[in-house]
Amino acid sequence: FALARPSAHLFGWFGSVESPISAVLVFDVSPRMGYVAERKTRLAAAQEFARQLLDALPPKSEIGIVDNAAPSRVFEADPTIARERLANLKIAGRGRPLSEACEGAAELLRSAAHDRKELYVFTDLSVGAWSGHRAGDWVRRAVDAGVAKVQLVDVGAEKPENFSLGNVGLSDQMPVRNRPLIVTCSLSALGTGEKRLVRITTFDRATGAATERGVEELDLAAGETKDLDFTLGGLDVGVHQGEVRIDEPDHLPDDNVRYFTVLVRPAQRILVAAPAPPAARSTYYTQAVAGRELVVNGIAPYDVKTISYEELATAELDGFAAVLLLDPPPLADPVWQQIEGYARSGGGAAVVLGPQAKPEAFNGDAAQSVLAGKLDIQARYPDGDLYLWPDADQHLMTADFKPVKNTTPWPDFPVYRYWKLAPA
């Protein structure tokens, strides 16, 4: 310091006191910055600090205002415009990671007009601000861009206290009319523990009127998380919107409410073709998917119609969500072509082989346009020591078995024979 010339530039909190500089101010505007402490949000505290910084910057400095909700800004030579941008910052929804905004600020400084480059980051320094696998790349980019000073401005609360709701889970986003809808959520306590009431409300689509559908009281200790379950019944066909909300306000309002939307649909129409007599031959299937008790109570997920294979040749398939062939006999090519066209237009088609299956009838070109492969031989296991264990949780045909995969006595349901299939 003794040998330094008196004109040496000093890199202090308020920048150089002599020559103009290029400075970029990066702001975290995520919902978390809405936390209120000392009667102001964390964003308001950041804006207050930033105004002091702008007051102290050397004249003719160029200033960039960047946040993690919008693309990077340009430099402003006019300090009045920079102040307007600063004053107009708002809490935004889920945007870019803060580190990504800092990368954009470093690139902006690469093209700066002045040799002196400074980068200021206003954040609450929470873990969530630095999510992503490239969280530290912006520092290297800032160095490469010639930034001489990086200042992290911590506006976070020293001892935050907050109750927050987790993400809403729905038992079905497209439930059938009148079937119960289960809405799940979690409640977490940070820094303090108390009792909290959580309410679930739905809104009338026409009038917007709110109807409370349930309330739960939870007693949480600091750092504890508990799960909530609400059951909603009597939902008619159409779109329904609702919210889960913590009753008492706290320091961070944004995470006190979660919203959900469901589309309640009528029972889907399913066409089942079965050997004569079709109603009797398809009983096991129809009772499994739309049992009599469900139909009587108006909560069956499917509206099943059964027909014979003679009727299938002239059936109109477009009005059905899916077509199921139970134990199909050899079918004429036009029938397979009809099913192929229906499936290609978005319909669901399933084939359950039975005693009438013959390789020569199912391996032709017309049948293979629908089926997944050619029939080979029928493997036999007369001792009953073979059984199905649905281990492919991601497959649509077995996904529903996932909750009971390890608790169902699968060996009690032996497979005595099955078709070997050569995949197409």
Side-chain angles (χ1 to χ4, degrees):
F1 285 104
L3 296 175
R5 293 184 298 166
S7 60
H9 300 311
L10 302 179
F11 294 85
W13 154 242
F14 293 119
S16 168
V17 296
E18 297 182 8
S19 61
I21 69 171
S22 297
V24 176
L25 283 60
V26 181
F27 294 86
D28 187 352
V29 294
S30 59
R32 192 182 55 254
M33 292 288 285
Y35 186 92
V36 177
E38 298 178 351
R39 299 184 179 181
K40 65 181 74 170
T41 66
R42 299 305 82 210
L43 178 58
Q47 290 170 305
E48 184 176 311
F49 276 111
R51 282 191 291 269
Q52 298 177 39
L53 172 61
L54 295 184
D55 289 340
L57 288 178
K60 298 183 180 181
S61 295
E62 59 177 4
I63 303 163
I65 303 295
V66 175
D67 63 66
N68 58 335
S72 298
R73 301 288 188 179
V74 296
F75 280 115
E76 301 292 351
D78 187 343
T80 302
I81 297 178
R83 291 178 184 279
E84 288 180 0
R85 293 194 183 281
L86 173 62
N88 290 331
L89 290 174
K90 304 293 183 184
I91 297 292
R94 209 179 278 269
R96 300 178 297 164
L98 184 59
S99 56
E100 191 174 317
C102 292
E103 289 181 14
E107 292 304 311
L108 182 59
L109 283 165
R110 192 182 297 275
S111 60
H114 303 297
D115 293 335
R116 292 285 307 280
K117 304 175 184 180
E118 298 184 1
L119 175 58
Y120 298 87
V121 183
F122 295 84
T123 174
D124 62 355
L125 281 183
S126 70
V127 174
W130 307 107
S131 60
H133 63 281
R134 300 186 306 164
D137 287 359
W138 68 275
V139 180
R140 176 182 53 78
R141 292 197 181 194
V143 172
D144 293 343
V147 178
K149 172 185 177 181
V150 174
Q151 179 74 49
L152 288 178
V153 185
D154 180 10
V155 295
E158 186 175 352
K159 295 180 179 180
E161 296 180 354
N162 185 48
F163 287 88
S164 62
L165 291 172
N167 292 330
V168 167
L170 302 174
S171 58
D172 193 345
Q173 286 190 312
M174 296 180 62
V176 177
R177 178 182 56 194
N178 294 328
R179 284 181 70 87
L181 172 70
I182 300 175
V183 181
T184 60
C185 196
S186 63
L187 178 65
S188 300
L190 172 67
T192 185
E194 292 178 11
K195 291 182 179 180
R196 280 294 184 270
L197 291 176
V198 180
R199 301 180 189 275
I200 186 168
T201 305
T202 56
F203 302 95
D204 185 271
R205 291 169 289 160
T207 65
T211 302
E212 184 178 304
R213 305 296 298 267
V215 59
E216 291 280 347
E217 183 181 56
L218 297 181
D219 190 0
L220 275 71
E224 188 178 12
T225 298
K226 290 186 178 180
D227 294 329
L228 292 155
D229 290 322
F230 297 99
T231 301
L232 307 183
L235 297 178
D236 202 358
V237 172
V239 176
H240 295 262
Q241 294 180 316
E243 68 176 28
V244 180
R245 182 182 293 272
I246 302 174
D247 222 24
E248 300 84 355
D250 59 15
H251 297 286
L252 183 56
D254 181 79
D255 57 13
N256 289 355
V257 60
R258 293 289 181 260
Y259 303 97
F260 62 91
T261 302
V262 295
L263 173 61
V264 179
R265 58 177 175 82
Q268 292 185 304
R269 299 186 67 210
I270 306 296
L271 181 65
V272 177
R281 293 292 298 272
S282 63
T283 297
Y284 284 124
Y285 175 78
T286 56
Q287 290 301 307
V289 300
R292 184 176 182 278
E293 183 178 350
L294 299 179
V295 173
V296 169
N297 292 323
I299 57 174
Y302 302 105
D303 177 11
V304 181
K305 179 181 179 181
T306 58
I307 61 173
S308 66
Y309 281 104
E310 289 75 15
E311 297 172 294
L312 178 62
T314 58
E316 292 288 341
L317 306 183
D318 291 343
F320 295 93
V323 173
L324 181 73
L325 308 184
L326 287 178
D327 187 17
L331 300 175
D333 287 356
V335 177
W336 287 117
Q337 293 165 359
Q338 178 190 21
I339 297 173
E340 179 196 12
Y342 164 78
R344 288 189 182 279
S345 65
V351 181
V352 181
L353 300 181
Q356 300 189 86
K358 300 288 189 292
E360 58 274 14
F362 286 82
N363 293 345
D365 292 340
Q368 284 299 302
S369 67
V370 175
L371 301 179
K374 293 186 176 182
L375 296 186
D376 192 353
I377 63 171
Q378 196 175 89
R380 298 173 182 269
Y381 285 80
D383 295 335
D385 56 351
L386 183 72
Y387 52 89
L388 178 68
W389 188 297
D391 196 38
D393 298 335
Q394 73 279 10
H395 196 284
L396 289 177
M397 292 291 287
T398 58
D400 285 347
F401 292 103
K402 184 176 181 179
V404 296
K405 181 178 69 176
N406 296 319
T407 58
T408 299
W410 301 108
D412 291 350
F413 306 97
V415 174
Y416 293 99
R417 49 180 142 173
Y418 70 91
W419 284 103
K420 287 189 174 180
L421 194 72

